[in-house]
Amino acid sequence: MEKLKSLIPESLRQMVVEEDRSTPDVNTCSSLLNFLLNSQVFHQLITDLAAQQTALCGKNNDSAFQNKLNGNQFYSKGDYSQALTCYSQALRAAPIDATDGDRNLVASLYLNRATSLHSLHDSDRAIQISPNYSKAWYRRGKANASLRNYQDAAHDLTIAQSMESSLSGKRSIQCELNIIKDQQKRTSKTPVQHDDKLGMPYEAPQAKLQCIIMPDKGRGMVSQSDIPQATLVHREEPYAMTVLKHCRDTYCHYCLNELPPDTVPCTTCSIAIYCSQHCQVQAGGQRSGNHQKKHNTPENISHDLEKHFAKITLGSNVDPDVDQFSEHMHECEGVNWPAVLPTDIVLAARFLIKHIKQKGGSLEAINTLENLELSHSYSAMTSESKLEIHIYSIVLLCCLQYSHGYECSVNALSISQVIILISQIRVNSMAVVRIRSCDANGLAPHFNGGSVTSNMEQVSVGQAIYTSASLFNHSCQPNIHAYFLSRTLLIRTTEFVAANCSLELSYGPQVGQSDYEDRQKILQDKYYFKCNCHGCSEFNMSDLVVNAFHCVNQDCPGVVLDSCVVNFDTKKFDRFLHIPRKEQSIEAQMFSDIDVNEVASISFEKKNHSLDINPGCCLVCGSHSELDSLHVAVAKTWNCMTRLQDSIISKEISRTILANAVRSLSLLRSVLHAYNRKIAKAEDILAQAYCLLGDFLSAKDHCEESIKILEKLYDPNHIVIAHELVKLSSIQLSLGDCTVVDSVNRVRAIYLRYYGAEVEVIFPYMEILQEEADKIS
């Protein structure tokens, strides 16, 4: 793409750059299109991206057989994990109609994987492709027996026996049947049911919202009545969604949940992979095997077995109400552009194709994109960004011309519409996140009752457009929280919200996480606006200390500000000083638990009712610090923490590196203010290191110190505090510390505030954590 961009003549570049419009100029689009259509480089690019003859992401018979062979070799050596990986890779590559001797290759691969995993799902998939596959019925019977589903196991093995051609095979299956029937007599356990569908709890929104025009913020959402804390106010399915590139091998391409070992690949390409056949059908509209065809039942079996045979071969868990729009279908056939183009461009394609289909497949549907009620900031984009989306729009439309079943007009008007669509996606799309519990940092203790994960990590796994949710405005101190169950977006209040007050979520940066300047830069670079939320327009103590230095007088608790902080916050300080003294303390406490008189006694010199704050001067005693030397000292000292982080990742921590990091923490505390976020980070790193070394007492001390600082920067009931308390709880459990009960109860209270009834779904370990804490108490 960079090569193509470099070919654009300067005159065309200037036409794009000099546009002083809120929307792209049609004449500019036409000129750029004509230039590219006359470029051999452009035509070669489109061929490489969209033509069938150059497709690299299609099915590959040779690759499938090689991976199957590798899997068999690993299996014979007893390396079942590697065997499983090879069989899954073979399934992604195998054409659905490929044969393996007298069997379907895909069915054989599912059976091999079912053998490695004892998977009921994979046995079903093999049977649904090859209903008369006796080994698949036998494997299904063994899987059901392991689940104590003895009646189904007996049915499966009886069908397998009827299909088995050899006498020795029939006798072997009969022995298995006798064992199962005996076990069935001795147990009354309810059979374990399995289901490919996405089972999620449902909670309806409890507030009636309306969209209004707000001063300085445009459209926004409010409620007509008061809303209590932890109330679900919004629930929405995505208009369009796609998985992020780096998550393609670990998360389902439809529901974006973490992939299980028995994944289901797309039937026509080697990219998409799903957690279940439900998701495969929803995304691609096609599933492995012919589920409408009635297969010949085996001879000489009972009526009950005939019904069982029909139920399994036809697929009892197929959804009759598959979504009308199959979002992956236009990307299939193995063409390269869905794998190569950026995620937001792939998302734009899904949005566009769905829009065209909803309009009856009319080519003129592209011209109605401008009617979609999504904001954009095309006019605020940089010249490079404008040129980039001009080119991507043309490339995308040309690629879609090759897609099966769709035609897209490539002209100046359609290009201008797609440019706006991409700019809308860039400012309206949401990162779909998952909360991942991991033990990578060594914080998981070992319990008799099972493994309790202890380190929480928020991971972006997808990008989506939720059209109604895009109306919620941003705040660096949000009063609502967005989270996801599968593809569903849910928004819940995290505090009481009065009627007609704006409901605002965070687009990323928050007070406590970064200071005013950093937050403004992030929002300006990504969303093209200056934030004027309460946390940015009013004085708050968190912004004052989050990146502050320590006074040169080590006994003084005062804040020393950098020049950039002074430049951005002087107006807020000035307004704050004009508030009566009694009200200053109240306003400061609204933002954090820091006493304003402790870190800044506000003994500033006033000149004509304005502030004279000098960078490097302590806000309590007025002592001066050399800022350049402070920056150098912090950078040099932090190198030791970076080396310790690297050691934690490799799980090889030397005593020397740890000792250096401990000394560095002391140095950081002498240079940085006590509430500086960097000190909290250093304390957390040391807690991780001591956990890996098994010194849980030291780990607990450092973890508690980190939490104390974060509680000063955030609301003490912020979700960030809950995640840190999970770490502390794990350490306390390892020590047998009875105070873990208080930590776990506090975690649950915060999680309920942010996730309501879905806590147990999003944090399935929570129940185990509570049980282990109760044992100690």
Side-chain angles (χ1 to χ4, degrees):
M1 197 61 68
E2 288 301 319
K3 182 178 180 181
L4 191 62
K5 192 188 296 185
S6 67
L7 297 177
I8 307 299
E10 188 61 30
S11 58
L12 267 179
R13 286 175 176 269
Q14 288 303 312
M15 288 177 67
V16 174
V17 171
E18 293 175 0
E19 284 183 348
D20 187 20
R21 300 162 50 93
S22 60
T23 58
D25 182 66
V26 176
N27 292 327
T28 302
C29 295
S30 178
S31 298
L32 184 58
L33 175 62
N34 290 334
F35 172 79
L36 291 176
L37 290 177
N38 287 301
S39 167
Q40 185 60 40
V41 174
F42 175 76
H43 285 287
Q44 184 60 52
L45 174 68
I46 299 301
T47 299
D48 292 342
L49 289 174
Q52 286 289 315
Q53 61 268 28
T54 58
L56 299 175
C57 302
K59 299 295 186 178
N60 187 304
N61 210 43
D62 292 339
S63 175
F65 273 105
Q66 185 58 56
N67 276 299
K68 181 188 177 185
L69 177 62
N70 294 341
N72 290 343
Q73 291 174 346
F74 282 120
Y75 188 86
S76 64
K77 295 175 183 177
D79 191 344
Y80 303 121
S81 177
Q82 282 298 321
L84 175 63
T85 299
C86 290
Y87 291 143
S88 294
Q89 290 173 344
L91 278 166
R92 291 184 82 168
I96 190 63
D97 57 353
T99 57
D100 182 13
D102 61 345
R103 293 292 174 193
N104 179 281
L105 174 60
V106 176
S108 297
L109 288 167
Y110 274 130
L111 180 61
N112 286 2
R113 201 171 66 177
T115 304
S116 302
L117 279 173
H118 303 288
S119 168
L120 197 59
H121 290 309
D122 277 347
S123 300
D124 285 351
R125 293 159 190 162
I127 290 169
Q128 288 160 5
I129 296 170
S130 296
N132 296 317
Y133 197 174
S134 62
K135 287 184 179 179
W137 284 103
Y138 175 78
R139 178 51 55 195
R140 189 178 196 278
K142 294 288 286 183
N144 266 319
S146 69
L147 295 171
R148 299 185 182 182
N149 298 333
Y150 295 122
Q151 184 175 3
D152 278 359
H155 287 344
D156 295 334
L157 291 178
T158 303
I159 292 173
Q161 187 181 42
S162 71
M163 294 177 177
E164 178 59 44
S165 57
S166 69
L167 290 175
S168 60
K170 287 179 180 291
R171 283 195 295 267
S172 176
I173 294 174
Q174 185 60 52
C175 290
E176 297 278 359
L177 271 168
N178 293 338
I179 294 171
I180 286 172
K181 288 176 181 178
D182 181 60
Q183 290 173 325
Q184 187 175 11
K185 290 177 183 177
R186 291 187 283 110
T187 182
S188 59
K189 178 174 168 57
T190 303
V192 177
Q193 300 297 322
H194 71 287
D195 190 359
D196 254 1
K197 296 182 182 181
L198 301 173
M200 293 292 179
Y202 183 83
E203 179 186 356
Q206 300 297 309
K208 186 176 181 180
L209 307 184
Q210 65 178 121
C211 179
I212 65 171
I213 303 299
M214 300 181 175
D216 303 324
K217 287 194 174 185
R219 296 179 301 176
M221 301 295 282
V222 300
S223 170
Q224 298 175 350
S225 58
D226 293 348
I227 310 176
Q229 178 182 287
T231 300
L232 185 69
V233 296
H234 186 71
R235 188 183 190 109
E236 184 178 1
E237 297 300 317
Y239 188 90
M241 173 184 279
T242 188
V243 67
L244 298 183
K245 287 186 177 182
H246 69 276
C247 295
R248 284 175 176 168
D249 294 331
T250 50
Y251 289 87
C252 176
H253 288 215
Y254 179 75
C255 71
L256 301 189
N257 287 332
E258 200 161 359
L259 286 169
D262 54 346
T263 56
V264 180
C266 174
T267 57
T268 54
C269 78
S270 61
I271 299 177
I273 189 167
Y274 306 99
C275 66
S276 65
Q277 286 184 327
H278 168 91
C279 286
Q280 180 207 44
V281 174
Q282 291 285 357
Q286 181 180 1
R287 73 187 256 155
S288 305
N290 186 352
H291 300 273
Q292 303 304 318
K293 180 180 177 180
K294 185 175 180 179
H295 300 281
N296 294 326
T297 57
E299 297 179 358
N300 303 320
I301 63 172
S302 67
H303 178 66
D304 285 346
L305 288 179
E306 286 183 2
K307 289 172 62 177
H308 182 74
F309 179 87
K311 173 185 173 183
I312 304 305
T313 56
L314 292 176
S316 61
N317 53 12
V318 178
D319 289 321
D321 56 342
V322 174
D323 287 349
Q324 290 186 347
F325 175 68
S326 299
E327 62 186 8
H328 174 61
M329 189 174 290
H330 66 279
E331 302 166 353
C332 256
E333 309 299 336
V335 292
N336 300 326
W337 68 264
V340 173
L341 295 182
T343 301
D344 57 348
I345 307 302
V346 175
L347 182 60
R350 291 190 169 193
F351 192 109
L352 178 60
I353 293 300
K354 183 173 183 177
H355 180 70
I356 291 174
K357 187 162 184 177
Q358 286 181 336
K359 296 296 182 179
S362 169
L363 300 180
E364 301 303 317
I366 296 179
N367 301 332
T368 66
L369 283 171
E370 62 184 7
N371 298 328
L372 297 172
E373 295 186 355
L374 292 173
S375 61
H376 68 85
S377 299
Y378 175 79
S379 59
M381 286 184 172
T382 64
S383 57
E384 280 300 305
S385 294
K386 285 183 179 179
L387 179 61
E388 180 182 85
I389 63 172
H390 272 75
I391 295 173
Y392 274 128
S393 297
I394 296 172
V395 169
L396 179 59
L397 285 169
C398 289
C399 286
L400 289 175
Q401 283 189 323
Y402 285 84
S403 296
H404 176 69
Y406 294 99
E407 292 183 12
C408 293
S409 300
V410 185
N411 55 47
L413 183 58
S414 64
I415 293 167
S416 66
Q417 292 297 301
V418 175
I419 290 170
I420 292 300
L421 174 60
I422 294 173
S423 65
Q424 288 172 325
I425 284 174
R426 290 191 172 182
V427 298
N428 288 281
S429 64
M430 298 184 72
V432 181
V433 299
R434 293 289 182 262
I435 302 296
R436 185 169 68 188
S437 305
C438 59
D439 302 337
N441 293 323
L443 288 172
H446 303 285
F447 305 110
N448 295 326
S451 174
V452 178
T453 48
S454 55
N455 198 25
M456 307 307 300
E457 186 178 39
Q458 185 167 279
V459 182
S460 294
V461 299
Q463 189 174 354
I465 288 288
Y466 295 89
T467 52
S468 296
S470 67
L471 297 172
F472 288 96
N473 283 319
H474 164 82
S475 173
C476 294
Q477 290 186 306
N479 53 18
I480 55 177
H481 175 67
Y483 60 100
F484 303 87
L485 287 177
S486 184
R487 294 165 61 89
T488 307
L489 167 69
L490 299 99
I491 297 179
R492 192 175 296 274
T493 56
T494 57
E495 60 187 57
F496 171 82
V497 181
N500 299 316
C501 285
S502 177
L503 291 160
E504 297 174 332
L505 52 79
S506 171
Y507 292 0
Q510 295 190 36
V511 170
Q513 179 184 9
S514 52
D515 64 18
Y516 173 83
E517 180 190 16
D518 290 339
R519 297 197 305 272
Q520 293 293 343
K521 186 178 188 310
I522 291 169
L523 294 169
Q524 184 64 48
D525 290 348
K526 189 170 183 179
Y527 299 104
Y528 307 102
F529 72 86
K530 179 182 178 182
C531 182
N532 290 310
C533 73
H534 197 56
C536 289
S537 60
E538 305 295 334
F539 174 78
N540 72 78
M541 294 302 300
S542 182
D543 278 358
L544 191 68
V545 300
V546 68
N547 290 323
F549 292 102
H550 199 294
C551 177
V552 289
N553 178 2
Q554 291 298 303
D555 295 329
C556 177
V559 165
V560 175
L561 298 180
D562 203 346
S563 56
C564 58
V565 179
V566 170
N567 293 337
F568 277 97
D569 278 358
T570 297
K571 289 183 179 180
K572 291 196 289 184
F573 291 154
D574 188 41
R575 196 203 69 80
F576 179 75
L577 285 179
H578 285 77
I579 297 175
R581 187 79 177 179
K582 185 181 292 186
E583 296 178 21
Q584 287 180 359
S585 238
I586 296 174
E587 175 160 330
Q589 293 294 320
M590 288 172 61
F591 293 92
S592 73
D593 194 33
I594 303 170
D595 182 359
V596 64
N597 294 308
E598 175 191 352
V599 298
S601 58
I602 318 299
S603 57
F604 306 124
E605 296 180 9
K606 292 189 177 183
K607 296 180 179 179
N608 299 322
H609 301 287
S610 64
L611 290 178
D612 183 18
I613 305 176
N614 294 315
C617 286
C618 174
L619 299 189
V620 170
C621 70
S623 299
H624 182 76
S625 300
E626 184 58 49
L627 289 174
D628 289 341
S629 62
L630 292 177
H631 282 293
V632 171
V634 171
K636 184 177 179 180
T637 306
W638 195 257
N639 287 335
C640 294
M641 288 297 170
T642 302
R643 283 193 286 271
L644 182 58
Q645 280 184 299
D646 294 338
S647 299
I648 292 170
I649 293 171
S650 65
K651 292 186 164 55
E652 296 179 358
I653 302 175
S654 73
R655 291 291 176 181
T656 301
I657 290 177
L658 181 60
N660 289 339
V662 171
R663 283 194 294 271
S664 295
L665 176 61
S666 297
L667 290 171
L668 285 171
R669 284 192 172 278
S670 68
V671 176
L672 299 177
H673 192 271
Y675 302 146
N676 188 300
R677 189 181 174 90
K678 224 173 182 71
I679 295 180
K681 178 64 176 175
E683 295 279 11
D684 182 60
I685 294 170
L686 282 166
Q688 296 174 39
Y690 280 117
C691 274
L692 271 177
L693 294 172
D695 184 351
F696 294 110
L697 192 58
S698 297
K700 175 175 173 285
D701 292 340
H702 286 288
C703 189
E704 287 176 337
E705 288 301 316
S706 176
I707 291 172
K708 286 178 184 177
I709 296 172
L710 295 176
E711 287 175 332
K712 296 291 186 180
L713 299 176
Y714 292 94
D715 174 348
N717 293 314
H718 195 280
I719 189 68
V720 167
I721 306 300
H723 292 338
E724 296 304 308
L725 285 169
V726 171
K727 298 179 186 179
L728 178 61
S729 299
S730 301
I731 298 169
Q732 289 170 325
L733 284 171
S734 297
L735 291 168
D737 185 345
C738 61
T739 60
V740 67
V741 176
D742 295 332
S743 298
V744 172
N745 288 341
R746 191 175 166 198
V747 169
R748 180 178 287 278
I750 297 174
Y751 281 169
L752 284 170
R753 176 182 179 182
Y754 279 78
Y755 299 102
E758 285 87 17
V759 167
E760 303 297 343
V761 177
I762 295 173
F763 304 99
Y765 70 90
M766 192 70 219
E767 184 177 352
I768 300 174
L769 192 64
Q770 186 77 61
E771 289 174 357
E772 295 299 325
D774 290 342
K775 288 178 185 178
I776 293 177
S777 65

